[in-house]
Amino acid sequence: MKRYLSLAVSAIALAACSNPAPESSAPETDTAETQTDAQSTERTAGYNEDRNAYFGDLHIHTRSSFDAYIFNVRRTADDAYRFARGDTITHPSGFDMTIAGGPLDFYTVTDHAEYLGILPAMNTPGTELSELPRAQDMFSTDPGRITAAFQGVGASVRSGEVIAEMHDTDVMDSVWMQNVAAADRHYVPGEFTTFAAYEYTSVAANEEQGSFAGGNLHRNVFFKGDAPDRAFSTLDSTNPEDLWDWMDAKRAEGYESIAIPHNPNVSDGLMFRLQTYNGDPLDAAYAEQRMRNEPLVEVTQVKGTSETHPALSPNDEWADFEIYDRLLASYEVSKTEGSYVREAYRNGLKLQEEQGFDPFRFGLVAASDSHVVGGAYAENDYWSKVGIVDGTPMARGSVPFFGTKSWDEQPDNQIVQNAREWFSRWGASGLTGVWAEENTRESIFDAFRRKETFATTGPRMKVRFFAGFEYSDDMLSDSNLTRLAYDGGVPMGGDLVGNGTAPTFLAWAQRDPNMGALQRVQIIKVTSEGEAVYDVACHDGTPDPDTHRCTDNGAAVDMETCTPTGDGAGELKALWQDPEFDPERRATYYVRVLENPSCRWSTWEAMRANVPPRPDVPQTIQERAYTSPIWYIPSE
């Protein structure tokens, strides 16, 4: 059993009238002629000029991913889309999974492009792949055989060195087109949106940790409409910049796409480092190409949150949230610098001021990264992500092993260490929110492009963020608030060009009616020299003008029942001006919304098992949401 869970984790590793033109423009190659037949160019019944909030998961794996199949996942893309629409699906460990909060508005299968569909073919009698010597010991529930089976495949994916006998491009291309067809089958304009997509699984190997450890550089690639007949993978190149070249070339052929990096928190400082993949200095061409192809970043998912880190934001009381910082398949800690989005915003502003370009002007999204076709978004109904490896509370480290009731009595072995170091530190997250005119591929993809997106750690709270120079106090009570905000300013994801006066920001959040009440709304300000956190809307009253903090609302949790206690709000909104505003300095602003405290998933599982919660993981959390930024640009 020593390497069983270790290898399991390795498998996982695998605008408005005043809106200026963006500094890095999006491509305009997409036309109606390049869309699939399933896509509608007509307005649906839900069309809203002021845009609706839609929620979805952009990161889902099925049996076609090599790692999922090795760990006994047998569900298909069709199963994934049915789960997202409310169907109950059976987990590989035998229990039922039903989506928390009801059906989603959009959902995307993103199977690993590397050896896509090869493992199922190797496990199908009568195929040529099933006759390979490798196939004889590839499929099992025995830990030793699983370890041996995965080692070669995982090393190949990470290194980019092809296993020739398994590299059947006909099978991989066929399964890719099957996934594309499944997305088209389940796309219902106005009701449920899907995208053809896949995961590009690049890892910068850490030689000190062996072939399975390294810095995560994974990306998910999404196509707006039609998709090419093959997917570019790390077996083509492990360099993400080569992926961008391929995307640019396909875009010129009419295949519009974006890529979304995920888990920068475990990138070992490489996701946002100030060098290219090969170690060259960054330049304007790099920044333009990266922003053209990667306008968004996944800021939270099951393997931790990548907003910021206590070491980077020591004055942010809420920075220590769901920090998962182990390198993929390792107990070694990922380098902090270069791994979190808030620091990247700061470094991007510095590059802009000093060299005239910014490669880190990305919006924010969230996802689950589920490998069992269905995401676990609720703390009280959590099943982690891998399959049989983490399918029980004991395997996840929330309930003691071997029948003991005391955490002090746990044996000191590899299984317990894996549960402590990895699975128990994962979280029930997350979902992407978009503001789009209607629930269609065109409208939602356009929202991705303009970065009118927000990320949540699971709840479906709605968050809006605008900035303008003409906003007035009476707006907040106006029934046309949204239209006034669009007409007089820019939404999240936009650039606000200065006019010599201080802008006014509108932050507006509504709770998920099925989840916790709201405690506060904050605006995070980032400049090239630092950062500041301002509470701008409180559950009761207004923030203290000196500390910029709300008063404590007394919200807590009854730890005997996991029942929340104390006051909170259903809706919070405020107009705010930066008390330290400098019209001559660039700044990045984004909103963070905090719910009242609630029980973490590990506490729920311990309570149900009648054992004490783990003492070394948080017993409660504050669910939250993050908006894409608004970038303030001084006037020339």
Side-chain angles (χ1 to χ4, degrees), residues 335-347:
K335 293 178 182 176
T336 302
E337 293 184 355
S339 297
Y340 291 85
V341 299
R342 193 187 298 178
E343 182 202 36
Y345 288 146
R346 183 168 67 249
N347 287 337

Side-chain angles (χ1 to χ4, degrees), residues 495-519:
D495 296 337
L496 186 70
V497 175
N499 64 6
T501 63
T504 299
F505 294 87
L506 168 62
W508 184 4
Q510 295 173 307
R511 69 174 286 184
D512 179 339
N514 298 315
M515 303 292 284
L518 304 182
Q519 184 186 80

Side-chain angles (χ1 to χ4, degrees), residues 204-222:
N206 184 323
E207 296 181 359
E208 295 178 359
Q209 299 302 316
S211 61
F212 287 101
N216 172 80
L217 294 174
H218 300 189
R219 272 87 169 155
N220 289 317
V221 182
F222 303 81

Side-chain angles (χ1 to χ4, degrees), residues 121-198:
M122 292 177 70
N123 198 29
T124 301
T127 65
E128 291 185 12
L129 287 166
S130 71
E131 302 300 321
L132 293 175
R134 235 179 234 278
Q136 309 314 308
D137 290 315
M138 183 72 74
F139 311 104
S140 174
T141 57
D142 175 75
R145 293 176 66 187
I146 287 176
T147 297
F150 181 77
Q151 239 167 348
V153 184
S156 170
V157 170
R158 288 170 174 270
S159 67
E161 297 179 5
V162 173
I163 302 172
E165 65 269 27
M166 285 179 56
H167 195 247
D168 190 322
T169 56
D170 289 341
V171 170
M172 292 187 287
D173 293 347
S174 174
V175 174
W176 163 238
M177 295 312 296
Q178 290 173 29
N179 275 5
V180 172
D184 287 343
R185 253 194 322 275
H186 291 271
Y187 175 42
V188 184
E191 296 182 21
F192 184 65
T193 291
T194 62
F195 296 97
Y198 71 91

Side-chain angles (χ1 to χ4, degrees), residues 214-234:
N216 172 80
L217 294 174
H218 300 189
R219 272 87 169 155
N220 289 317
V221 182
F222 303 81
F223 295 92
K224 182 176 184 178
D226 286 340
D229 57 9
R230 66 176 302 271
F232 185 93
S233 80
T234 58

Side-chain angles (χ1 to χ4, degrees), residues 113-449:
E114 298 77 18
Y115 301 109
L116 180 66
I118 294 295
L119 274 294
M122 292 177 70
N123 198 29
T124 301
T127 65
E128 291 185 12
L129 287 166
S130 71
E131 302 300 321
L132 293 175
R134 235 179 234 278
Q136 309 314 308
D137 290 315
M138 183 72 74
F139 311 104
S140 174
T141 57
D142 175 75
R145 293 176 66 187
I146 287 176
T147 297
F150 181 77
Q151 239 167 348
V153 184
S156 170
V157 170
R158 288 170 174 270
S159 67
E161 297 179 5
V162 173
I163 302 172
E165 65 269 27
M166 285 179 56
H167 195 247
D168 190 322
T169 56
D170 289 341
V171 170
M172 292 187 287
D173 293 347
S174 174
V175 174
W176 163 238
M177 295 312 296
Q178 290 173 29
N179 275 5
V180 172
D184 287 343
R185 253 194 322 275
H186 291 271
Y187 175 42
V188 184
E191 296 182 21
F192 184 65
T193 291
T194 62
F195 296 97
Y198 71 91
E199 180 166 340
Y200 167 85
T201 319
S202 176
V203 174
N206 184 323
E207 296 181 359
E208 295 178 359
Q209 299 302 316
S211 61
F212 287 101
N216 172 80
L217 294 174
H218 300 189
R219 272 87 169 155
N220 289 317
V221 182
F222 303 81
F223 295 92
K224 182 176 184 178
D226 286 340
D229 57 9
R230 66 176 302 271
F232 185 93
S233 80
T234 58
L235 302 182
D236 298 298
S237 171
T238 59
N239 184 345
E241 295 155 43
D242 291 337
L243 170 66
W244 304 339
D245 288 341
W246 178 82
M247 293 170 65
D248 283 340
K250 291 302 173 184
R251 187 175 293 112
E253 297 175 14
Y255 300 107
E256 168 60 356
S257 64
I258 61 171
I260 303 179
H262 70 84
N263 282 124
N265 56 307
V266 292
S267 69
D268 207 25
L270 300 178
M271 189 68 79
F272 307 127
R273 76 169 179 167
L274 304 179
Q275 293 176 313
T276 68
Y277 182 81
N278 292 323
D280 297 323
L282 303 185
D283 58 21
Y286 173 95
E288 182 179 355
Q289 185 180 37
R290 183 166 189 169
M291 289 297 92
R292 180 170 61 249
N293 289 293
E294 295 187 355
L296 303 170
V297 166
E298 187 181 292
V299 71
T300 181
Q301 63 138 267
V302 67
K303 295 196 302 296
T305 295
S306 302
E307 182 210 8
T308 193
H309 188 284
L312 299 172
S313 302
N315 296 321
D316 182 350
E317 304 96 305
W318 297 272
D320 190 10
F321 176 75
E322 293 296 290
I323 297 295
Y324 180 75
D325 57 4
R326 302 302 189 264
L327 288 176
L328 297 177
S330 172
Y331 298 146
E332 294 297 313
V333 175
S334 172
K335 293 178 182 176
T336 302
E337 293 184 355
S339 297
Y340 291 85
V341 299
R342 193 187 298 178
E343 182 202 36
Y345 288 146
R346 183 168 67 249
N347 287 337
L349 290 170
K350 186 173 183 180
L351 285 170
Q352 182 71 60
E353 292 170 355
E354 295 179 353
Q355 301 186 49
F357 61 85
D358 182 350
F360 305 132
R361 291 170 50 84
F362 43 74
L364 301 180
V365 297
S368 68
D369 195 5
S370 172
H371 279 55
V372 295
V373 311
Y377 313 110
E379 303 293 328
N380 64 353
D381 189 18
Y382 178 72
W383 51 76
S384 197
K385 65 163 278 185
V386 182
I388 61 170
V389 179
D390 59 355
T392 67
M394 194 165 63
R396 293 190 283 272
S398 62
V399 174
F401 279 91
F402 308 117
T404 62
K405 296 238 173 180
S406 169
W407 290 103
D408 294 333
E409 298 174 11
Q410 293 297 284
D412 184 16
N413 62 29
Q414 187 84 37
I415 299 173
V416 173
Q417 189 175 9
N418 289 347
R420 282 177 171 164
E421 294 292 324
W422 296 333
F423 301 128
S424 64
R425 298 176 184 270
W426 292 359
S429 187
L431 288 173
T432 291
V434 301
W435 289 102
E437 290 84 358
E438 56 187 339
N439 190 356
T440 63
R441 284 178 174 173
E442 297 89 345
S443 189
I444 291 177
F445 195 95
D446 288 347
F448 295 159
R449 268 282 171 215

